Amino acid sequence: MPWDNVYENERILKRFKNKIDDSESLTNCHIWLAAKTKGGYGMFSAYGRSFPAHRIAFMMFNGEIPTGDIVS
């Protein structure tokens, strides 16, 4: 499955980082600037499919999401 290495691909990470505004200094929140679902969740396309942006962000800083864990 493409999740396995999406956070290790430098080209994809560069594209991802271009879609966030990390200038918020008070809360250190990253504001998603690209596509969102109707519910407001950021979406990011890679490997020909869309991924929830928060899952990609988690993997960028923490590595693979352990089986059974939930990132919301």
Side-chain angles (χ1 to χ4, degrees):
M1 179 163 206
W3 286 110
D4 295 344
N5 68 351
V6 70
Y7 62 93
E8 295 175 342
N9 184 310
E10 288 299 321
R11 185 178 62 83
I12 291 174
L13 292 181
K14 184 176 181 180
R15 280 184 43 235
F16 184 87
K17 289 177 183 178
N18 285 331
K19 297 179 185 306
I20 59 172
D21 174 2
D22 61 357
S23 64
E24 171 54 56
S25 60
L26 184 61
T27 64
N28 291 322
C29 289
H30 293 126
I31 309 302
W32 187 249
L33 303 173
K36 296 177 186 171
T37 66
K38 289 179 182 179
Y41 287 95
M43 296 299 290
F44 180 73
S45 294
Y47 301 114
R49 64 175 282 208
S50 293
F51 299 94
H54 62 281
R55 292 179 64 92
I56 303 293
F58 178 91
M59 290 187 290
M60 285 172 56
F61 295 100
N62 302 289
E64 192 68 27
I65 300 170
T67 302
D69 281 6
I70 297 172
V71 177
S72 58

